[in-house]
Amino acid sequence: MNFKDKIVVVTGAASGIGLASVRAFAEAKARVLLTDVNAVAGEAAAAELAGGPGDVRFMPLDVTDPASAEALAVWVEKEFGRLDVLVNAAGWDIIEPFMQNTPEYWEKIVKLNFMGPVQVTRALLPLLFASEGGRIVNLSSDAGRVGSYGETVYAGAKGGVIAFTKSLAREVVRKQVRVNCVCPGPTDTPLFASQPDKMRDALTNAIPMKRVAKPSEVADAVLFFASDRSSFVTGQVLSVSGGLTMVD
Ligand code: NAI
């Protein structure tokens, strides 16, 4: 795939799936804005990729802060005048039973995993309209399709991302913007590594392919939706989970 001269923004891109997506876009010669709330890790990741193919720059972004998303939009407008691809990858979770959740935990989960993509998308949509074919790829989760033990509110937020994807896809199709959604299953990232051993083992065993995904395998699906290879695809959801979930 060739993304030469395409302008790409990836959120939550200092780690895991977001970072793997940045790497893949850079290899395909895109101009990538690697954004993350963790400025130290973001700067370091962008510095590591500088000098390779593509053009990777770091911009700080807290997806829970509308002002931060607006500042990013102003910068992209000034620098490029348009945006071709937005990947909403920032997300967070801790596995614990619903009855142990605090309201603060619920608020953080929803603010980051659901309102984050909503706010960033709203801020950047005018720039995607200015592209000759804007694309949005949202990272949801198989938890949002089939539910997940100990991830009750996270699953609700990720289910919301799926419904948001489909509804937005209908609204913006006339502006030549396509919106699709990738649902990773368990994937070998710092987020997955932070979950309890018992949970990680149980999930790995339940996967027909008997291993978790590599972040680059999820990034492959992100690039598919961001590319012309999916030119007639919008409002769709693709699980990358080694067969863990098989949903119609
Ligand atoms: P990760 O923890 O490796 O990376 C997430 C990144 O998001 C980090 O760099 C973090 O600093 C950043 N971030 C956190 N809060 C932020 C904020 N307020 N604003 C901007 N950036 C913020 O996570 P991973 O595994 O790469 O996850 C990527 C996406 O995939 C998430 O949306 C996650 O929910 C989803 N996912 C991951 C799965 C897995 O097994 N790793 C499974 C299913 C879905």
Side-chain angles (χ1 to χ4, degrees), residues 11-19 35-38 41 61-64 88-93 112-113 139-143 154 158 183-192:
T11 75
S15 172
I17 293 165
L19 180 56
T35 71
D36 204 285
V37 73
N38 184 337
L61 173 70
D62 179 352
V63 301
T64 65
N88 284 306
W92 175 81
D93 184 29
L112 214 165
N113 294 286
L139 268 299
S140 175
S141 168
D142 268 356
Y154 172 81
K158 290 298 195 181
C183 285
T187 306
D188 185 14
T189 70
L191 178 63
F192 184 64

Side-chain angles (χ1 to χ4, degrees), residues 160-173 179 235:
V161 170
I162 293 172
F164 172 67
T165 299
K166 293 177 179 177
S167 304
L168 187 69
R170 293 179 191 277
E171 280 200 39
V172 298
V173 71
V179 193

Side-chain angles (χ1 to χ4, degrees), residues 205-225:
N205 266 328
I207 296 170
M209 289 191 180
K210 296 292 173 208
R211 65 170 179 86
V212 300
K214 293 183 247 170
S216 63
E217 292 174 308
V218 182
D220 285 341
V222 170
L223 265 75
F224 167 70
F225 280 138

Side-chain angles (χ1 to χ4, degrees), residues 6-7 20 43 67 89 104 118 120 126 143-144 148 169 197 201 214 228:
K6 296 290 183 197
I7 317 298
E43 295 274 13
E104 293 74 30
V118 170
V120 174
S148 179
D197 286 354
D201 290 347
K214 293 183 247 170
D228 290 339

Side-chain angles (χ1 to χ4, degrees), residues 71-203:
L72 174 67
V74 168
W75 191 87
V76 175
E77 159 97 78
K78 198 167 146 237
E79 193 77 5
F80 302 109
R82 70 168 210 281
L83 176 65
D84 300 304
V85 179
L86 167 63
V87 180
N88 284 306
W92 175 81
D93 184 29
I94 288 180
I95 294 176
E96 68 175 28
F98 175 66
M99 289 302 279
Q100 286 174 24
N101 293 171
T102 62
E104 293 74 30
Y105 168 91
W106 294 336
E107 197 183 332
K108 181 170 177 185
I109 290 278
V110 174
K111 219 171 156 187
L112 214 165
N113 294 286
F114 182 67
M115 288 311 296
V118 170
Q119 274 155 190
V120 174
T121 298
R122 177 62 188 86
L124 295 179
L125 253 182
L127 291 163
L128 286 156
F129 292 157
S131 165
E132 280 173 14
R135 291 100 202 249
I136 300 173
V137 185
N138 293 322
L139 268 299
S140 175
S141 168
D142 268 356
R145 303 190 88 180
V146 299
S148 179
Y149 185 94
E151 297 187 292
T152 305
V153 177
Y154 172 81
K158 290 298 195 181
V161 170
I162 293 172
F164 172 67
T165 299
K166 293 177 179 177
S167 304
L168 187 69
R170 293 179 191 277
E171 280 200 39
V172 298
V173 71
R174 268 178 250 146
K175 298 275 193 182
Q176 316 305 324
V177 176
R178 296 189 291 106
V179 193
N180 290 289
C181 189
V182 175
C183 285
T187 306
D188 185 14
T189 70
L191 178 63
F192 184 64
S194 71
Q195 309 301 347
D197 286 354
K198 235 172 104 182
M199 181 62 104
R200 283 189 286 134
D201 290 347
L203 279 168

